Every structure is written in structure tokens, then in C-alpha cells.
Amino acid sequence: KNQVEQSPQSLIILEGKNCTLQCNYTVSPFSNLRWYKQDTGRGPVSLTIMTFSENTKSNGRYTATLDADTKQSSLHITASQLSDSASYICVVSDRGSTLGRLYFGRGTQLTVWP
Amino acid sequence: DARVTQTPRDKVTEMGQEVTMRCQPILGHNTVFWYRQTMKQGLELLAYFRNRAPLDDSGMPKDRFSAEMPDATLATLKIQPSEPRDSAVYFCASALGTSGSPQETQYFGPGTRLLVL
């Protein structure tokens, strides 16, 4: 069964600290993996998209890694800010079609405290 | 500042009523997605269109849900009849896609919060 599991479910960190969010998947075949940030009451915003051949991609203070062999991805946030408080969602696409079928993680709720 | 717009932002209706949600994709984008998000299920893809043609609606309950793109600037999601379990936030997203490309960035709208009583 194709699944995407994210951990931890929730996380609280102090402003300025780093943190790492995990995404493990069993989706096969694999096309790409996306990380989204969703602020409360708003739509998700794309942070990174990685294909099979990419093992790291950065977007400002956000760095995503992908290990396609172990089917694991992580999202590392450096020097966290209050505005990083949000839900972070991992989405994996297979190669069933042009877009691929999408498999969604349940998200990690990050809270950054001052 | 190009963005996806959705109307209405909030909708409260009674069970059995028809609900129509509208989405205006970013001008020039040729791919439109409809998602549903609930606390219980998280984010789910309902359907998506490319160049106004439906490509995949396997995530959508066929008996009561329908999605259309009357033109390139408007996508609609209709529920008839609505049920309390349809209560959720419905997001529209658009992307500029090329056939075969798996790396399109999707831009989400603010969502329509639907409550069916």
C-alpha cells in the first residue's frame, strides 16, 4: 500500500534554533517529492520539488534532502523564525500518469516560540 | 501579483442544497487542481484539468461531485446534494504544466471553507 508518513506529528522549538522534519514513503514507482508549508487558514505554498536524481534542494533557510534508496526525505529549517510556525506537508507522486498520482502525508505542525 | 482566487471564502449551507465553488487560476496557467482538506483525512486531490480537459477525477465522489472548466479563466466544483461529511476546506491550485513534466509548481488559492449542516 502506497503511504506517506511524517514525523513528528507536532514540534515546538525556540526561535533561532534549527529543526528537521521527516517524511518516509512507500510509494512506488517514484516520480517526485514535494514539501509544502501551510500557514493556518491559508493554502499550501510549495517549498521544494525533488525528482529521483536529486538528493538535496534548498529554498532560503529550508533545505530538503531525498534518499530514494531508503525512501526517506527530510526538511531542515535553519535559524527558525516565528513566521516558520505552520504545518509542513510532504507529498509524493508516482509515475502512473503525466502528473502521477499524489500521496499526501498528514503534516508536521511546527510552532516556533520567541 | 498573480494569484489564484476562490469564491466564496466561506459557505454555510444545509444538507441537500447545491454548492458551487469557483476558482480563477493564475492567468496563463494551463493546469487546475481541486483539493479537499479535513482534520481527519488531511489533504486529498479530488480532480485536475489540463488545458481545460479533465485528466483525473478518481479522487472525487462521482455521485454528487462534479468539476468543470467552462473556460480557461474559470474552474468550478459543484456538490449536489451536499451532505455534512462534505464539510471541509476546498482548495484550488493552478500550475503551468508541460506534458510529461513532473516538476510543475502548484500555486494554491486561499480555499473555500464549507460547512454543511
Side-chain angles (χ1 to χ4, degrees):
Chain A
K1 181 181 176 183
N2 288 320
Q3 284 188 315
V4 177
E5 300 287 342
Q6 291 189 244
S7 62
Q9 190 173 11
S10 62
L11 180 64
I12 298 174
I13 61 173
L14 295 178
E15 186 179 15
K17 298 297 185 182
N18 303 335
C19 68
T20 300
L21 313 181
Q22 298 290 342
C23 174
N24 297 336
Y25 61 94
T26 58
V27 176
S28 181
F30 172 85
S31 176
N32 63 79
L33 184 147
R34 304 164 188 245
W35 282 97
Y36 286 95
K37 177 189 177 189
Q38 185 176 22
D39 293 319
T40 301
R42 309 189 75 163
V45 174
S46 180
L47 294 176
T48 61
I49 304 172
M50 287 186 292
T51 60
F52 185 89
S53 59
E54 298 172 299
N55 55 24
T56 187
K57 186 166 279 190
S58 292
N59 178 358
R61 295 179 297 102
Y62 301 99
T63 299
T65 64
L66 173 65
D67 186 333
D69 291 331
T70 61
K71 298 187 176 181
Q72 296 180 325
S73 176
S74 64
L75 181 69
H76 186 74
I77 305 175
T78 304
S80 61
Q81 300 177 359
L82 299 180
S83 60
D84 293 330
S85 294
S87 178
Y88 292 84
I89 302 170
C90 174
V91 184
V92 180
S93 176
D94 66 17
R95 287 182 293 195
S97 65
T98 299
L99 178 68
R101 178 154 184 199
L102 299 179
Y103 299 87
F104 297 87
R106 297 300 304 275
T108 292
Q109 184 65 46
L110 175 66
T111 303
V112 181
W113 282 9
Chain B
D1 181 27
R3 60 182 68 186
V4 176
T5 58
Q6 291 185 246
T7 57
R9 287 300 310 273
D10 292 276
K11 176 72 175 180
V12 181
T13 190
E14 292 185 342
M15 183 173 63
Q17 295 298 307
E18 178 179 297
V19 175
T20 299
M21 291 168 272
R22 294 177 175 80
C23 167
Q24 184 171 8
I26 292 174
L27 191 63
H29 281 190
N30 63 349
T31 311
V32 174
F33 308 83
W34 282 105
Y35 292 89
R36 176 172 62 184
Q37 187 174 41
T38 61
M39 291 294 291
K40 185 177 180 181
Q41 299 290 342
L43 201 59
E44 306 171 274
L45 176 65
L46 297 176
Y48 74 96
F49 294 76
R50 176 154 289 170
N51 298 321
R52 297 177 55 200
L55 285 192
D56 188 348
D57 62 359
S58 59
M60 201 164 66
K62 300 293 191 303
D63 55 339
R64 300 182 298 107
F65 284 60
S66 61
E68 296 179 345
M69 279 202 75
D71 61 61
T73 64
L74 176 65
T76 62
L77 179 66
K78 190 173 295 185
I79 308 174
Q80 169 62 22
S82 59
E83 297 181 1
R85 59 180 168 148
D86 300 329
S87 298
V89 181
Y90 290 82
F91 289 104
C92 172
S94 73
L96 179 59
T98 57
S99 180
S101 169
Q103 300 187 52
E104 310 146 356
T105 297
Q106 297 181 28
Y107 297 86
F108 281 73
T112 293
R113 289 193 306 179
L114 174 65
L115 177 62
V116 183
L117 301 174

